[in-house]
Amino acid sequence: MIVTDSLKIKRNLNALVEFSKAINSSLDLKFILNNVLLTCMGKFLATKGAIAINEKGVIKLMISKGVSADFEENFPVITVKDVINESGKLKSITDSGSFVCSEFIQASEKHIGIIFLGEKLNKTLYSNEDIQFLKTILNISATAIQNSMVINELKQVNRTLDTRINSLNSLFELSKEFGLFSESTKVSKLLIYSIIGQFMISKYAVLIFEKDGINIIESKFPMDEIKSILNNTDVESIISTVEKNKLEKQYNSLFEIGVEQVVPMQIQGKTKGLILLGNRLNKQQFTESDIEFIYSVGSLAIISLENKRLFKEELEKHKLEEELDLAREIQRNLLPQEIVQLHNFEISAENISSNQVGGDYFDVIRKDEENCYIAIADVSGKGVPAALLMANLQALLKSACRQNISLVEGTGMINDLISENVTGGKFITFFWASINDKNRTISYVNAGHNPPLLVRDGKIIKLRKGGMILGVMKTKDPYITETLQLQKNDLLVFFTDGITEAMNNEQNEYSDERLEKLVLSLNNKSSKEVLKLIQADVKNFTSGAIQSDDITLLVLKVN
Amino acid sequence: MTEFNTSKKEIGDVNVVYLNGFLDAHTAPVLEDTFSSLVEQNKFKLVVNLKELDYISSAGLGVFMAFIEKMRENKGDIKLTSMNEKVFNIFDLLGFPLLYEIFDNEEDAVKKFSGDN
């Protein structure tokens, strides 16, 4: 009897040592728990067993043997507090698995987990001795279990850290790639690749809000469906991320085609575009830090895209300005640098070109000792095209002045040639006149230009005779000319519509009436004074509004 | 600057693509071009050998994501082989082993295609 007892103790001790060795040789929690459970079941001949672990206060089933298949599924959600009674003992929660014995696994007063054991194969009850032995086994196991749990937790922390590092690397990498010199398509491609690679997504779309609507840069959702949804849904008002549940309720049409997450791309809090994402193929949900990452790369990308757009705009503006400078230079070179002066006439003229550079033209061309031509014209359109047409007119006019032809013939010829060359509805209003210095006469043809004003004795005579504007069609009926005998103190004012149509900030025009009223009060002034006074009055009228068209004035005073 | 290039080999109807160097946002378009040209030639059975790949970033993984459905829709696949531990960790971190078959050596991956038939 004594011999058998000591043998039994020896066997138990051997088993315990071996068991201790086995479980302490591993850091794999599953392996350790498996070993603990099998050892206990083998020792007590139990047909059922399970071990649950205290994971941050919640009892989580880790391993079970000999129980029905749905045991794990039906294992209740319970906390450590639920299973401890007032005296600090374990409450019976063994009903569901028909266990008869349960015991805490403890390490320094801390409840690490619980073991459950079914009834013994020989139907005997667990004796005090059995319970003591079970406690010994569990005490030996506790340290190993705790160690492996700490290791697991560390691994988890490490993995989370790795994920963060990986996200940061991606962000860093993209910010390098999103430089000013990479193309817009490359930016959106990289944006997409980084997101779908990071989160295992196969369906996505990138939308950019532009002035003239929503630009779908990339889409793996059906294009026509996305388009029709965008037509019927106000997505431009989305200012924060929209997750699955909210999508289903608020943007159901998007949800229906498989969008599970919408992340806005913002610059200074303003949404400039959206990233639409489908589900993750690894079935995981987007976490807060995932969304943060997507938001960050999205913002990086949109800033890069926006910078490129601004850069391009600036470049185009610069080009336009260069073009206007060119037009301004052409215009300046075409206008006379010095005004011809005569005996009986005093002539002043000036062109003030607008920012846009209109197509105003004037000239004073001496024919011979006695005769001189004056001309004023306004080419339709602005910028370089208008300047080129003006150059054309100048060449024709100068050659007409050299040939000994009449104003009527000259106008007809110029109109024919302009009509042949001009396309796209361009035209020129044109007035020219021949003045005789000796006889003080003026002969003129007005081809659709604002009628120049002849001021004499407090009255205005408008020089209207002529015909249609230049460039619309070839000359059918000859232009009409008129010759007037001028008198001392007559004042002639030639102008372009830049004067009469000058706008003030209230969108009112300077008007013919105002000009006529003004010139009537200027009969005793020199041509230079008249010119300056009219310019000053126009400037006073517009009072700071932007000059949108060229202003040209030519004033002729008869001595 | 990071270096990356690819080379190709045909074994039966399987195309083996070898990746060499650093696959990141900067070099991702290179792999994209390689995959695109294979798709254009109706070659959908790919084994990608990552033995000489030193680094892969999310953008690089994105290229795999962008093409996997296309390959599978056409009864092909992208199988991965021979990656070093560092590269595998990144694949693993982002959950790729769930979606992609990863082999220790190229032969097994190629064989798997003939097994699929």
Side-chain angles (χ1 to χ4, degrees), chain B residues 47 79 81 103-114:
Chain B
V47 168
K79 299 190 197 298
T81 90
F103 297 85
D104 286 340
N105 65 67
E106 184 186 312
E107 265 180 26
D108 290 351
V110 175
K111 264 187 209 155
K112 188 68 196 289
F113 270 117
S114 45

Side-chain angles (χ1 to χ4, degrees), chain A residues 284-296:
Chain A
Q284 286 179 25
Q285 298 299 310
F286 289 101
T287 66
E288 216 166 283
S289 68
D290 293 344
I291 301 299
E292 207 175 282
F293 171 79
I294 297 170
Y295 180 82
S296 304

Side-chain angles (χ1 to χ4, degrees), chain A residues 159 162-163 166 169-170 173-174 177 186 189-190 193-194 196-198 200-204 220 281-282 293, chain B residues 24-26 28-29 32 55 57-59 61-63 65-67 69 90 92-96 98-100:
Chain A
R159 219 175 150 78
D162 278 351
T163 313
N166 194 53
N169 271 340
S170 297
E173 224 180 88
L174 288 178
E177 287 307 309
K186 194 185 164 194
K189 269 250 156 71
L190 287 181
Y193 280 163
S194 298
I196 67 176
Q198 186 90 17
M200 305 200 72
I201 297 162
S202 68
K203 291 234 184 308
Y204 53 81
K220 282 258 178 159
L281 298 184
N282 57 9
F293 171 79
Chain B
D24 57 14
H26 185 69
E32 191 193 354
Y55 173 76
S57 79
S58 299
L61 296 168
V63 181
M65 288 303 297
F67 283 88
E69 287 205 330
I90 300 171
D92 187 41
L93 198 62
L94 302 179
F96 270 62
L98 272 175
L99 269 188
Y100 292 78

